Amino acid sequence: MIKYIIRRLIQAIPTFFGITLLSYLLLWLAPGSVVERLYLAPNIKAETRARLAAQLGINDPFHIQYLRWLAGDDWLRWDTDGDGIADQAFRPLAKLDEDGDGLPEPPGDNYGILRGDFGRSFVKKQPVMEVLLTNLPATLELGIAAVVTSLAIGIPVGVLSAVTQGRRFDKVSRVMAVIFDAVPNFWLGYIFIFVFCRVFDILPCGGRCVPNLYGVCPPLLERLNYMLLPTVVFAAGFVALFSRYVRASTLEVLSQDYIRTARAKGLAPQVVNFRHAMRNAMIPVATLLGPIITNVWAGAIVIESVFAWPGIGRIAFTSAIQQDYPVVMGIVIFASIGTILGFLLSDFLYVLIDPRIRID
């Protein structure tokens, strides 16, 4: 198992670099001037714009900009005598005087995303990593709650729907699955806000909590009312997806010979359905967990915007609107790592659920 995980992690390395290359290419092709965005000066003079662009390195070829973003620029120019001025440079990729002012450039202070340096936010004027780590717990909190809720509801509903095939519960659950799968979650969120917040006024309309005097949210158990609506809306589509897949898989398993043998031996229906049949019917769930993690990142943008939830998704939406490219690129990298780990988790669950699978 350990060898398999290591092999899968090694295989994920080219995938990760491919994602970084394509995402940076899209950023490089995006319209607009980074200088104007960074300095908030749309009417900046042409000479000043050219000088700032040279200092930022955005006039360099694409491969040099990409490598600088990936691995940093501190190794492109270095100071051997300690006077603060670079006296050596990695000639194929950098010059001592990049902006043409006749003076050597100082050594770079960008360490690249491979060393955890995503740059600074254009809008917040803070390191991107600091912005992401500040908002990441809220997204993880909501995403984990939604996935756990969808598994806790979707799997039993799918099994019961298969066991009661053709009866009332099966018909109602299938209809509800289609409805919740088809209804956009932002529309469902606004409906829930109107009903439970505006009409009955029993749940908060949005936000994560009421911060204390130190600006910190109280423990989770003291603010479950804030999590209820976004979690239900977030999990609704996942419940529909899990229940349909588990139902189809359970129907196939119930027709197998070992299930008929277990029934013939006099085992209770609950034991047959939930101990023997459900374990083999869980294989599609393992397949879905990888894409579900990706959907958590994507769905968080909508859910967090609707419920004013202070997480990564809301930051991604506002950063895209404000053209805060360093933050957007940082979120892309975080999402890609989460997706790769999600598919690795799916492969790992295959072995736990199905003992017939052997990894040699």
Side-chain angles (χ1 to χ4, degrees), residues 27-337:
L27 174 66
W28 187 67
L29 295 174
S33 172
V34 176
V35 174
E36 295 176 358
R37 179 71 264 172
L38 181 59
Y39 292 96
L40 301 177
N43 298 323
I44 192 171
K45 294 181 179 180
E47 297 81 3
T48 306
R49 182 187 294 110
R51 178 173 55 82
L52 293 175
Q55 292 177 354
L56 293 173
I58 60 177
N59 292 332
D60 293 334
F62 170 77
H63 65 281
I64 295 179
Q65 294 187 47
Y66 169 72
L67 186 60
R68 184 187 295 117
W69 173 71
L70 193 67
D73 61 359
D74 59 322
W75 56 276
L76 293 177
R77 296 181 301 272
W78 60 94
D79 177 17
T80 59
D81 54 11
D83 61 355
I85 300 176
D87 49 19
Q88 294 190 31
F90 189 66
R91 299 292 180 178
L93 297 178
K95 300 181 296 184
L96 288 177
D97 181 15
E98 290 189 337
D99 56 6
D101 61 355
L103 299 175
E105 307 297 332
D109 57 357
N110 174 28
Y111 297 102
I113 65 170
L114 294 181
R115 288 181 283 175
D117 184 4
F118 293 89
R120 296 183 66 87
S121 168
F122 293 165
V123 177
K124 297 181 179 295
K125 308 299 182 183
Q126 296 175 337
V128 173
M129 182 62 73
E130 181 180 329
V131 175
L132 296 181
L133 293 181
T134 301
N135 295 274
L136 183 61
T139 296
L140 292 178
E141 180 181 280
L142 183 59
I144 292 173
V147 173
V148 171
T149 301
S150 61
L151 289 173
I153 298 176
I155 293 176
V157 168
V159 174
L160 290 175
S161 180
V163 172
T164 60
Q165 182 183 13
R167 286 184 255 176
R168 180 175 299 176
F169 181 84
D170 180 35
K171 295 178 180 179
V172 172
S173 63
R174 292 168 63 189
V175 171
M176 296 302 295
V178 172
I179 292 175
F180 283 111
D181 195 26
V183 172
N185 49 12
F186 71 88
W187 186 85
L188 186 64
Y190 286 130
I191 293 297
F192 276 28
I193 290 175
F194 177 76
V195 173
F196 294 100
C197 174
R198 300 299 182 185
V199 177
F200 295 104
D201 193 20
I202 56 177
L203 291 173
C205 297
R208 187 186 180 197
C209 64
V210 177
N212 56 23
L213 296 178
Y214 302 98
V216 179
C217 285
L220 180 61
L221 295 178
E222 298 180 15
R223 50 185 174 85
L224 289 177
N225 55 334
Y226 283 88
M227 287 194 62
L228 185 58
L229 285 184
T231 299
V232 171
V233 174
F234 207 171
F238 297 154
V239 170
L241 186 66
F242 282 133
S243 64
R244 289 190 292 111
Y245 272 83
V246 171
R247 177 185 182 275
S249 181
T250 304
L251 286 175
E252 182 180 356
V253 170
L254 290 176
S255 63
Q256 300 296 318
D257 292 338
Y258 72 92
I259 296 296
R260 288 193 291 267
T261 302
R263 289 172 175 169
K265 291 169 63 177
L267 294 179
Q270 294 81 1
V271 176
V272 175
N273 295 331
F274 288 95
R275 181 178 299 178
H276 296 282
M278 189 174 72
R279 178 176 180 179
N280 292 282
M282 288 285 289
I283 294 178
V285 176
T287 307
L288 289 173
L289 277 180
I292 284 296
I293 293 177
T294 306
N295 291 334
V296 166
W297 287 96
I301 297 177
V302 177
I303 299 299
E304 292 178 5
S305 299
V306 171
F307 290 96
W309 191 268
I312 294 291
R314 192 180 180 194
I315 291 295
F317 176 75
T318 56
S319 298
I321 296 297
Q322 297 170 344
Q323 296 181 338
D324 196 351
Y325 296 136
V327 176
V328 174
M329 293 299 294
I331 294 173
V332 169
I333 299 304
F334 267 65
S336 63
I337 294 174

